[in-house]
Amino acid sequence: MKMEMERQIRIPNRNPTVFVFLLLLVSCHLCSVVSWKKDEFRNCNQTPFCKRARGRKPSSSFAAHDVSISDGDLTARLVPSDKTLEDQDQNQIKQLILTLSVYQDGILRLRIDEDPKLDPPKKRFEVPDVVMPEFLSRKLWLQRLSTETIGGDASPSSIVYLLDGYEAVLRHDPFEVYVRKRGGNRVVSMNSHGLFDFEQLRVKKDGEDWEERFKGHTDTRPFGPQSISFDVSFYDADHVYGIPERATSLALKPTRGPGVEESEPYRLFNLDVFEYIHDSPFGLYGSIPLMISHGKSRGTSGFFWLNAAEMQIDVLGTGWDAESGISLPTSQSRIDTHWMSEAGIVDAFFFVGPGPKDVVRQYTSVTGTPAMPQLFAVAYHQCRWNYRDEEDVEQVDSKFDEHDIPYDVLWLDIEHTDGKRYFTWDRMLFPHPEEMQRKLAAKGRHMVTIVDPHIKRDDSYFLHKEATEKQYYVRDATGKDYDGWCWSGSSSYLDMLRPEIRSWWAEKFSFENYVGSTPSLYIWNDMNEPSVFNGPEVTMPRDALHVEGVEHRELHNAYGYYFHMATADGLVKRGDGRDRPFVLSRAVFAGSQRHGAIWTGDNSADWDHLRVSVPMVLTLGLTGISFSGADVGGFFGNPEPELLVRWYQLGAYYPFFRAHAHHDTKRREPWLFGEKNTERIREAIHTRYMLLPYFYTLFREANTTGVPVIRPLWMEFPSEEATFSNDEAFMIGCSLLVQGIYTEHARHASVYLPGKELWYDTKTGVAYKGGKTYKLDVNEESIPAFQRAGTIIPRKDRFRRSSTQMVNDPYTLVIALNSSQAAEGELYVDDGRSFGFQEGAYIHRRFVFSDGKLTSVNMAPAAPGQNQFSSECVIERIILQGLSTGQKSALIEPANQKAEIELGPLLLHSKKGPTATTIRKPNVRIADDWVIKLF
Amino acid sequence: MKMKVKRSFIAAALCVLCVLSLSLESISISIVGSASSSPTTNQFLGISPQDEKYYKSSEVIKCKDGSKKFSRAQLNDDFCDCPDGTDEPGTSACPAGKFYCRNVGHAPFLIFSSRVNDGICDCCDGSDEYDGQVKCPNTCWEAGKVARDKLKKKISTYQEGVAIRKQEVEQAKIAMAKDEAELSKLQSEEKILKKLVDHLKEQKEQIEKTEEKERLQKEKEEQERKEAEEKANQGKRKIEEEAKQDSSEDLENSDGEVRRTESTYEEKIGILEGSHLSQHEEKQKEEPVAISENEFDSGSKVPPDEGEDESEKTESLSREELGRRVASRWTGEDTTKEGEEVDAVKEDTHEEYDGYASETDDDNQKYDDEDVEEAADNDFGEEDHGDSDSSYKYESDTDSDFSDVTTSSTPSWLEKIQKTVRNLLQAVNLFQTPVNQSEAASIRKEYDESSAKLSKISSRISSLTKKLKHDFGPDKEFYSFYDRCFESKQNKYVYKVCPYKQASQVEGHSTTRLGSWDKFEDSYKVMVFANGDKCWNGPDRSLKVRLRCGLKNEVADVDEPSRCEYVALFSTPALCLEEKLKELQHKLVVLNKEEPQGHDEL
């Protein structure tokens, strides 16, 4: 950006120095104003529904009547039981309808809404297109319920079958819903503390003021208060996790209760937060109302509230209810939480677990498993706001080659467009976009351009013209097209809630419509919270109107989700359904994992942000979003070279690995910090490329099971308490443990290695016994990473310009044997691009080492005839760690060939690196069944 | 892998290839270039001719890093044995390896082993792609011809440039000698003149003393007269006292006046400059205020008094203002934030990591660099730059117009002064009372004129000394850059580069300082201008001007690769070095040697 100031403010013939000096005088009292503009956002006290709900005392205001089974569901009417309340509100509290449904795999769904027969002024919003149609088809048709009076209860409870060994219980009065082991301990419960409150829609009374004002913005609230709140308890839980997105610890700290200082509840409200701070319950760009509890004794359970309105959740510290007088009819330890939402209905899912992976599987069976990315998307991405022009792009691209650093994707931020009109190019800077993309594509590389949801209100802009004519924009409270301010200046926003608008939008990505796009171009959706610079809390007013009178407040958290969905659909359409889309989104909602990748937004170049990126990415993973990462290097500010290097070393293990920087920062491409640092960054990026086969296999695992690519340690070691709050280290799959280095000039790192088996340092080959914390020496060359004994990791050790050229390269298997001289691991391979894998066009092998022989077992079901995937790739090297006997030779069957066993390098690129037992050139095909016997 | 070839066959093919390539290189090229299914796995593939001995000397070969040994059979067997890649020069098996492209017809070079059989043609002879995935045509001859032509062009530019440079160096030497001569002459003149001025000053002071004496005498007489009168009026006490007071005040006053006159002289200068300055300052102060007012009127920015309660104020902003303001957080364009970073910026001035000037001594890169440079030179030669990219004399107040002291008739003026002074001194009787008014006036006049001249000479001396202190390069080849500016128009901006002074970016009427002269870098290949105007949210602006050989002094290609860190290319004969010319000529000879015989038959 050249001479931004002068250009912007058009001052002729002035001396900028003096101007600057004067501004300094005028504005130096602003110097102290740093980063996060806390005051700009509402806190709970400034949010009436939150303040009210938080102030609510435990009581029991509803009872379940007319409990029965209908259409395979358990239904009941919730009748207000608190007469005084009823009198006060002059019958405005009516009966509610409660429905309990049970789905396969131990999922209980609870819905509570107003009774449509009682003529509510308006239908409350239910979030569409999030729950998978397949999930609905897995409903268990309830046949009967049993009724018993449990414990000292005065009223009976209705009990239905949930899963072998589990039951769902509805206590009638006071009403309470919970899941328990059959006839035994509770797992998750709702309204055990009677905090349930449901503000029903009603007709405004004379003189009643429903408006809410905040920072000069007025929310007209035409439908008045409509919030819902209730308590949820997790039993035998040591910690609760989840409810992203925010920058804070993995294990959620209590926000209320004895010993808790002033704390806001965890907020779920998608916002574009400028310079967010690194430890705060404040909500960021995404909202996933899924909480997961985990405890040593019982295991894992989960609770998901499908609701897209602003939500606030308190984690209540032990003893918070000391004065309430309510004691639960159980001696189980528990964690209580309080959920508050501004609008919508109760549509909640209980997940019984019992293991961490079970909960994730159960949750992703509701909202969908992560999409399978193309192989290139799993590799390294290079981004900056902005690569300025074609020459810059070419220059950066060639420098990667010059320094032998691989990368797969070059990104263009907003400045590439003609005046922030998306789908256009600044033809001064990018006169030949197709040629530019083709040049990258010739090296197997891809490009990503940004497409944001704000549409410039410019009558000559085709998108705006069409959207205006078709009346596709979100309206303001007065019914006019909503006009907000964003990058493009005065802008409007499409009503992405409507499927026909989404499909219209999707068409815009066709090669004809998106002039200058080519098949190697993919998309980035930023600002889709949506960010509105002059809106309340930098977003769209809550009283803006979507289709069928849906208020923005009701779907706010899902706006970006629909936008992301429409964009991803566009790329699928563009490729005639044969090319997997890649769309990065900043806004997140439950189910976003189906549409593409997520990043943690505008972080800062400091060590705290490096540190917090791990719990942020882990939390996203726990809540279904496997494909995520933080901006490597930190978006704002200039990282010291050491920080940048550390970030690359950590970022190489993020599922989504992209470097990005603000346009005010200095250039920070990997070769700009001296040869030593270039080498370290190259090494970090190479590590990622080397592990691509492993990562890709894990992405497939996530795609089939929902289990995230990177995982908290407790997901792999659920009974080890020492791991429960560890968010410095993480697992990649079940085989690799990585410990970040989060401090400057670190000489040592304290690393806890769980389990009973050995762990092999991936760089040195040194073995460490599990179950201990080690204080390890560290240097600047890498961060600690360990392979767990008993696992097999597939690698590709040859380096290329990009992942595209690695397709035919041979594999290396790294086998770390456990105490019984056994190990196993998997390899998944497909064409890396198409949807053929959905028809079985892939290779999926399980490698098992035991009894001195390595066997490759086919895991793929026999694919139906025509859609096959094959590969000529071979395994060129097998590294064996922890082999106790000195076998000298290997026999490959069925080929009946011999292969030598020798001492080879553990890593090819490290000078004077450690050596390990190596089977030299077995050259067995990955597609084949084979056995390699050592003798 | 499609490289499973029987070893004996390879050996045989290898023999054939060796022989062929020795006798008929063109054929071997055609084989390498088009071979897909034929056994191209020459066991010595990817090895430079200088290195072949290393591999052929024995059956057991050492890894070059000494880490281990490998057998001849393990050479290029597509399995990495040496961490440094010694055993796999011809395959992609070792990440650390390098592959040697012979590129007959062009220049040989090394590529990273990661490029071998990656489906992309890297060597112009196609030798890096032999697994049949892609067919790489041999483009060495064409590429070589282009390269040779470029090189020839570059050489001819250099040849001409070297001649121009020689001339300029000569001229610079003369000019510098002239400056030095002028300086030493001025210095001696200064000495003489200083004496004269001192003399005149003495005279002047003498006269003033005498005048003062006269005045005091007069005053005394006057006072005596007054006192006499007063004595006559002794009875009126009050009046007496008042008179006393008056006189004492007078005395004080006169003392004060003396002092004041002394100081006023200095002050005058001070005031003169000061008033200039303060006027200037006032002007400057006024202007930005006016700007900001403008600003607010236009409604695009933030009021200056807006502060801690910033968020409160947002309520009074229009929606558009609010939008712009929030946007400006990310873009850093908010005018009110300008001051925030002034201090922080200082830290950034130490520029350690310089992206765009980074160079490594990598062979590969050298090749690329050369290419870039050549391309650039080429463009340059072809382009006909209009008058817009021109150079001109640097204008500055200090260096302006010395004609009266530096004209060729200099000796005469000094002599004239000397003579006049001599005459004057002879004519004037210093101890005459009362002072001869006309004589005094001429002394004063002469003093004023001479001292004015002296100060002019002194300032000229200081500016010359300042100039000569600069680093003009080993051959003073940059001497002519002093006092000159070079301009280049890029879109709407005009970039002005004034070596040894400053560089700026001009858009219409507004000028932004990109930096003031700092130094040469990279053995006179880069001019650095640092500490320019502060950038929003960023560092002080700076400019690095990369110099290259060209026939004219011209700025081109100003760029801003990192925010507010500018780079420019500058062509100048000063960079047309003879050694480099020789190097290029040698390179051409080598290239011509590589030219295969009978390429036409291909």
Side-chain angles (χ1 to χ4, degrees), chain A residues 268-282:
Chain A
L268 291 149
F269 192 62
N270 293 5
L271 288 178
D272 183 359
V273 184
F274 179 73
E275 294 188 347
Y276 65 76
I277 49 176
H278 69 91
D279 185 17
S280 167
F282 192 79

Side-chain angles (χ1 to χ4, degrees), chain A residues 643-830:
Chain A
L643 174 59
L644 183 67
V645 167
R646 288 300 190 204
W647 217 315
Y648 268 101
Q649 290 168 344
L650 183 73
Y653 297 109
Y654 291 154
F656 176 60
F657 180 24
R658 181 185 75 152
H660 187 34
H662 186 274
H663 71 23
D664 281 343
T665 61
K666 289 161 128 12
R667 284 288 181 132
R668 51 165 102 134
E669 284 76 40
W671 49 86
L672 296 176
F673 303 90
E675 190 44 48
K676 201 86 208 99
N677 289 314
T678 306
E679 208 175 305
R680 288 171 185 144
I681 295 173
R682 180 194 294 123
E683 166 91 15
I685 297 176
H686 274 164
T687 299
R688 172 56 164 244
Y689 277 82
M690 189 171 75
L691 290 172
L692 276 180
Y694 181 56
F695 269 96
Y696 198 67
T697 302
L698 292 172
F699 271 95
R700 174 59 174 165
E701 184 186 346
N703 175 245
T704 51
T705 67
V707 174
V709 170
I710 82 165
R711 308 162 186 177
L713 302 187
W714 57 264
M715 186 171 251
E716 292 297 331
F717 299 91
S719 56
E720 281 203 47
E721 271 177 286
T723 66
F724 291 177
S725 55
N726 185 338
D727 54 12
E728 289 191 2
F730 54 91
M731 293 295 295
I732 298 165
C734 62
S735 311
L736 268 182
L737 182 149
V738 171
Q739 166 79 44
I741 299 291
Y742 310 109
T743 51
E744 220 174 351
H745 313 310
R747 297 278 184 86
H748 307 282
S750 171
V751 187
Y752 177 72
L753 296 172
K756 293 184 177 63
E757 292 289 346
L758 293 176
W759 293 85
Y760 290 92
D761 185 308
T762 58
K763 294 287 189 299
T764 64
V766 173
Y768 298 88
K769 186 97 185 73
K772 270 168 83 176
T773 299
Y774 293 89
K775 191 183 177 191
L776 300 174
D777 291 342
V778 294
N779 57 33
E780 283 183 60
E781 307 310 314
S782 62
I783 59 172
F786 306 87
Q787 183 176 352
R788 181 182 178 182
T791 64
I792 300 177
I793 293 177
R795 296 197 314 218
K796 280 197 175 187
D797 289 0
R798 300 192 181 196
F799 296 152
R800 298 297 190 180
R801 263 177 266 239
S802 75
S803 68
T804 313
Q805 293 90 31
M806 294 169 69
V807 168
N808 298 317
D809 282 342
Y811 289 85
T812 292
L813 293 185
V814 185
I815 302 177
L817 296 170
N818 64 13
S819 48
S820 37
Q821 292 287 290
E824 50 185 60
E826 290 184 16
L827 173 66
Y828 171 85
V829 188
D830 60 21

Side-chain angles (χ1 to χ4, degrees), chain A residues 125-131 270 306-308 453 494-499 501-503 505-506 509 525 528-530 546-547 550 552 554-570 583 585 587-592 594-595:
Chain A
F125 182 65
E126 298 175 42
V127 190
D129 304 310
V130 169
V131 175
N270 293 5
L306 177 55
N307 184 305
L494 294 163
D495 184 6
M496 287 298 184
L497 182 60
R498 279 166 67 182
I501 300 180
R502 293 204 294 267
S503 94
W505 176 255
F509 292 91
N525 288 162
N528 53 337
E529 294 75 25
H546 294 261
V547 64
V550 173
H552 185 68
E554 298 175 279
L555 71 72
H556 173 81
N557 286 343
Y559 182 84
Y561 165 87
Y562 294 116
F563 184 71
H564 191 194
M565 172 194 277
T567 306
D569 285 348
V583 184
S585 167
V588 191
F589 189 66
S592 288
R594 304 205 303 272
H595 312 311

Side-chain angles (χ1 to χ4, degrees), chain B residues 34-127:
Chain B
S34 63
S36 54
S37 54
S38 59
T40 49
T41 34
N42 172 350
Q43 206 196 351
F44 294 96
L45 199 61
I47 298 171
S48 72
Q50 303 92 288
D51 233 14
E52 277 185 16
K53 235 181 20 206
Y54 184 87
Y55 289 93
K56 286 177 176 170
S57 56
S58 84
E59 279 304 306
V60 176
I61 307 161
K62 264 192 195 160
C63 301
K64 284 181 179 170
D65 65 3
S67 60
K68 55 194 273 197
K69 289 174 188 156
F70 61 94
S71 71
R72 177 74 70 80
Q74 286 174 310
L75 174 61
N76 278 339
D77 70 341
D78 203 26
F79 185 85
C80 188
D81 294 294
C82 300
D84 69 351
T86 312
D87 64 313
E88 297 295 321
T91 76
S92 59
C94 289
K98 292 269 174 73
F99 180 93
Y100 178 86
C101 311
R102 294 209 58 188
N103 291 344
V104 177
H106 193 3
F109 59 78
L110 289 166
I111 58 169
F112 296 113
S113 66
S114 60
R115 315 293 201 249
V116 176
N117 285 334
D118 68 345
I120 300 165
C121 308
D122 292 285
C123 307
C124 64
D125 64 7
S127 55

Side-chain angles (χ1 to χ4, degrees), chain B residues 430-476:
Chain B
L430 279 176
F431 302 101
Q432 180 188 341
T433 2
V435 175
N436 180 328
Q437 283 307 317
S438 80
E439 280 173 3
S442 50
I443 291 234
R444 279 196 191 100
K445 181 169 164 272
E446 202 54 46
Y447 170 76
D448 288 347
E449 281 173 4
S450 304
S451 56
K453 255 188 187 138
L454 179 62
S455 82
K456 262 185 182 169
I457 287 179
S458 308
S459 96
R460 176 66 179 157
I461 285 172
S462 88
S463 86
L464 270 176
T465 318
K466 204 175 117 202
K467 176 180 180 180
L468 291 169
K469 243 193 252 162
H470 278 294
D471 176 2
F472 294 111
D475 295 329
K476 314 292 169 216

Side-chain angles (χ1 to χ4, degrees), chain B residues 203-397:
Chain B
Q203 297 278 317
K204 198 183 78 150
E205 279 168 1
Q206 195 61 53
I207 289 169
E208 276 161 6
K209 229 187 216 164
T210 316
E211 282 174 341
E212 179 70 4
K213 222 187 230 164
E214 275 175 39
R215 193 180 62 82
L216 285 177
Q217 184 64 35
K218 259 189 198 158
E219 258 176 34
K220 202 179 169 189
E221 280 165 15
E222 181 78 0
Q223 205 169 355
E224 277 168 0
R225 193 173 54 78
K226 268 187 189 164
E227 273 168 14
E229 277 173 24
E230 272 170 26
K231 267 179 194 166
N233 301 321
Q234 255 178 353
K236 295 170 182 177
R237 223 176 150 169
K238 268 183 188 172
I239 296 169
E240 185 200 283
E241 276 173 11
E242 280 169 16
K244 248 184 190 168
Q245 264 180 334
D246 276 354
S247 74
S248 69
E249 264 174 29
D250 275 358
L251 217 76
E252 274 166 35
N253 273 348
S254 71
D255 272 355
E257 232 152 56
V258 171
R259 247 181 273 128
R260 208 179 294 150
T261 25
E262 275 173 8
S263 65
T264 26
Y265 181 69
E266 283 161 15
E267 263 173 23
K268 247 179 204 162
I269 306 163
I271 284 168
L272 216 74
E273 288 166 5
S275 71
H276 191 70
L277 256 178
S278 63
Q279 265 176 22
H280 199 56
E281 257 172 18
E282 266 168 46
K283 213 172 160 195
Q284 287 170 331
K285 269 178 197 159
E286 278 165 18
E287 279 169 359
V289 169
I291 295 159
S292 11
E293 278 168 8
N294 261 348
E295 248 333 281
F296 309 141
D297 290 344
S298 75
S300 61
K301 286 285 139 118
V302 188
D305 59 342
E306 178 269 336
E308 296 95 1
D309 53 349
E310 177 194 15
S311 44
E312 289 304 319
K313 287 271 169 67
T314 58
E315 294 178 29
S316 58
L317 292 174
S318 81
R319 284 275 180 267
E320 184 174 331
E321 279 167 8
L322 181 63
R324 281 187 199 280
R325 250 190 58 197
V326 174
S328 70
R329 289 180 193 152
W330 280 270
T331 59
E333 282 156 22
D334 194 333
T335 51
T336 57
K337 283 182 97 177
E338 178 63 9
E340 284 184 28
E341 304 257 332
V342 167
D343 292 316
V345 166
K346 292 293 165 219
E347 294 164 24
D348 282 349
T349 47
H350 269 287
E351 178 55 81
E352 275 176 75
Y353 315 104
D354 166 38
Y356 273 66
S358 86
E359 274 184 42
T360 57
D361 286 333
D362 195 275
D363 294 306
N364 196 31
Q365 139 130 31
K366 219 173 186 179
Y367 177 83
D368 286 344
D369 254 6
E370 212 60 76
D371 244 2
V372 170
E373 209 183 304
E374 274 164 23
D377 282 359
N378 229 26
D379 286 351
F380 190 65
E382 280 156 76
E383 261 174 67
D384 189 14
H385 290 276
D387 284 337
S388 63
D389 295 359
S390 55
S391 74
Y392 56 87
K393 211 167 150 44
Y394 181 80
E395 282 171 37
S396 79
D397 298 332

